[in-house]
């Protein structure tokens, strides 16, 4: 490959070295570079940085940097120019405040990236249909089936068992004070206000969230995400948006249906312990639950579903390495998703109730 030649000016100072460095770096990233210094007579401290940075760029790009026609004084100076080596940061010597600050910065950057990813998904979901530059991708129905429909069994079973246990334990105290008639209304309120959205999304974080993180992380490790970018395809539009829409649709539906399953499990306790009929049981639930509670439960379920999707996709897209990176991304996505859901649930408790 033929080298590109750049003739240096008479003086290399801080005023002109910045633009010249940018041009030389661009040329060196495309191929070999020849710097002609026949006109160069003077350079200040910025000249040392100029040649040191060019040497570093040549080392990283793999293309040769050649210097020619320099006078003896500058040639002697460049021969004795040493590239400073920055020692690696030793984390063992960090104190508590340094580690706290570093972790805080990492968390803040991750939150900012997740927030940007959420805004991008909302744009492509709502206004992207009117964008002429949008590529026509499908897969939303497939993701609804994989992330939502296939998780119905485990969600309904777990919520029903938890509600059955709560109703059984509550029945002893209610029976002792003669408050068996309050079992249905109290249990129904608790199920739709807290248990069904929280427990359903925690199960989805372990089941569907881990699936999203593992799949996307595997694509990142195998450089399939880079291949999408090389073909001018947005990874967010192609990978994240279908899963975002699917979780937005599935999470509130699963939460509501899981609440119905929990109420049916509680009916068994009401029937066998308090002889409450089916009609009276669900009439008490209907009277004890205000309609606005269903809206609050839906909002909570949607937000929790967004947290699962965004965190899992972010961990998958930022995975770097080999097979261990996929496992690490999957594990961290589940842990962070569940923790974020619980924190968000505490915030909703103060805001809604």
């Amino acid at each position: 490959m033929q080298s590109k030649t750049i003739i240096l000016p008479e003086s290399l100072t801080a005023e002109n070295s910045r633009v010249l460095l940018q041009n030389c770096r661009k040329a060196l990233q495309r191929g070999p570079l020849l710097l002609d210094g026949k006109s160069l007579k003077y350079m200040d401290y910025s000249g040392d940085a100029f040649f040191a940075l060019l040497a570093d760029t040549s080392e990283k790009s793999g293309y040769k940097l050649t210097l020619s026609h320099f006078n003896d004084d500058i040639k002697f100076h460049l021969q004795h120019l040493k590239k400073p080596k920055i020692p690696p940061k030793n984390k063992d010597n960090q104190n508590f405040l340094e580690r706290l600050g570093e972790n805080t910065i990492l968390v803040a950057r991750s939150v900012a990236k997740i927030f940007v990813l959420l805004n991008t998904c909302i744009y492509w979901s709502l206004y992207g249909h009117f964008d002429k530059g949008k590529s026509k991708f499908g897969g939303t129905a497939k993701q609804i089936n994989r992330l939502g429909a296939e998780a119905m069994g485990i969600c309904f079973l777990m919520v029903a068992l938890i509600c059955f246990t709560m109703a059984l334990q509550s029945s002893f105290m209610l029976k002792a004070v003669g408050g068996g008639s309050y079992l249905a209304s109290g249990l129904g309120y608790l199920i739709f206000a807290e248990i069904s959205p929280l427990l359903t999304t925690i199960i989805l974080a372990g089941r569907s969230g881990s699936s999203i993180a593992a799949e996307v992380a595997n694509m990142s490790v195998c450089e399939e995400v880079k291949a999408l970018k090389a073909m001018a395809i947005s990874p967010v539009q192609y990978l994240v948006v279908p899963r975002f829409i699917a979780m937005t649709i599935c999470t509130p539906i699963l939460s509501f249906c899981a609440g119905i399953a929990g109420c049916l499990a509680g009916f068994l306790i009401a029937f066998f312990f308090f002889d409450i009929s089916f009609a009276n049981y669900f009439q008490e639930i209907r009277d004890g639950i205000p309609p606005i509670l269903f809206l609050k439960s839906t909002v909570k379920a949607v937000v929790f579903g967004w947290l699962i999707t965004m965190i899992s996709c972010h961990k998958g897209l930022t995975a770097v390495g080999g097979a261990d990176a996929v496992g690490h991304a999957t594990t961290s996505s589940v842990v962070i998703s569940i923790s974020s859901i619980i924190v968000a649930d505490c915030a909703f408790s103060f805001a809604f109730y």
Side-chain angles (χ1 to χ4, degrees):
M1 183 181 294
Q2 188 176 3
S3 301
K4 181 178 180 179
T5 303
I6 294 181
I7 300 177
L8 298 178
E10 292 185 1
S11 61
L12 192 60
T13 62
E15 297 178 355
N16 60 1
S17 61
R18 182 178 179 181
V19 177
L20 185 61
L21 178 62
Q22 293 177 354
N23 297 333
C24 292
R25 274 182 161 179
K26 291 180 181 178
L28 195 56
Q29 289 173 355
R30 299 189 184 100
L33 176 64
L34 173 64
L35 289 180
D36 192 340
K38 60 184 178 182
S39 302
L40 183 63
K41 298 180 181 179
Y42 168 78
M43 67 177 189
D44 58 8
Y45 64 92
S46 62
D48 296 344
F50 174 82
F51 287 105
L53 292 173
L54 277 186
D56 183 68
T57 305
S58 172
E59 182 180 348
K60 291 180 179 179
S61 63
Y63 293 110
K64 185 177 180 181
L65 174 64
T66 307
L67 308 179
S68 66
H69 303 117
F70 284 79
N71 60 47
D72 294 337
D73 293 337
I74 295 180
K75 187 182 299 183
F76 178 80
H77 178 73
L78 293 178
Q79 287 176 350
H80 293 80
L81 182 64
K82 296 182 179 180
K83 179 182 176 183
K85 293 184 179 180
I86 301 176
K89 192 172 183 180
N90 189 2
K91 294 186 177 182
D92 296 334
N93 297 330
Q94 289 181 333
N95 57 36
F96 172 75
L97 293 178
E98 288 177 334
R99 290 194 298 269
L100 179 62
E102 183 180 3
N103 293 330
T104 302
I105 292 174
L106 292 176
V107 171
R109 287 177 178 174
S110 298
V111 171
K113 291 179 181 179
I114 291 173
F115 184 73
V116 172
L117 185 63
L118 175 62
N119 289 336
T120 306
C121 290
I122 293 175
Y123 168 78
W124 285 116
S125 301
L126 298 179
Y127 304 105
H129 300 285
F130 306 99
D131 194 327
K132 295 182 180 180
K134 179 184 178 182
S135 302
K136 302 297 181 182
F137 298 125
T140 302
K142 179 181 178 181
Q143 296 300 329
I144 291 175
N145 179 63
R146 290 181 56 190
L147 303 178
E150 294 181 0
M152 289 173 56
I154 185 66
C155 289
F156 293 176
L157 179 61
M158 291 295 103
V159 173
L161 291 176
I162 293 295
C163 293
F164 180 85
T165 304
M166 290 185 58
L168 180 61
Q169 294 176 350
S170 301
S171 64
F172 297 109
M173 181 61 68
L174 292 174
K175 196 170 185 179
V177 298
S181 59
Y182 296 101
L183 175 65
S185 57
L187 183 64
Y189 188 95
L190 186 60
I191 287 174
F192 287 100
E194 190 68 26
I195 296 177
S196 63
L198 180 63
L199 193 57
T200 300
T201 49
I202 288 178
I203 295 171
L204 287 177
R207 193 257 175 213
S208 301
S210 61
S211 174
I212 293 174
E215 186 176 1
V216 178
N218 186 62
M219 296 182 69
S220 298
V221 170
C222 296
E223 298 188 350
E224 295 180 21
V225 175
K226 291 183 179 180
L228 291 175
K229 294 179 180 178
M231 293 185 291
I233 297 176
S234 171
V236 176
Q237 184 183 349
Y238 185 76
L239 298 175
V240 183
V241 173
R243 292 168 173 81
F244 172 78
I245 297 175
M247 290 293 285
T248 304
I249 295 173
C250 293
T251 311
I253 296 176
L254 284 175
S255 175
F256 179 78
C257 295
I260 298 298
C263 291
L264 291 174
F267 168 71
L268 298 177
I269 303 299
F271 180 78
F272 289 105
F273 278 75
F274 301 104
D275 294 329
I276 300 176
S277 65
F278 185 84
N280 291 335
Y281 177 79
F282 279 94
Q283 183 63 38
E284 289 293 331
I285 291 179
R286 180 181 176 183
D287 296 338
I289 300 178
I292 191 66
L293 184 65
F294 295 104
L295 178 61
K296 295 178 180 179
S297 179
T298 301
V299 172
K300 290 173 66 173
V302 170
V303 173
F304 295 165
W306 287 358
L307 287 174
I308 296 170
T309 310
M310 294 300 100
I311 293 172
S312 300
C313 290
H314 171 69
K315 288 296 181 181
L317 291 173
T318 55
V320 178
D324 57 336
V326 178
H328 177 72
T330 305
T331 304
S332 60
S333 68
V334 174
V335 173
I336 297 175
S337 296
I338 295 176
S339 303
S340 302
I341 288 171
I342 295 175
V343 172
D345 184 65
C346 294
F348 276 124
S349 297
F350 284 102
F352 286 167
Y353 312 112

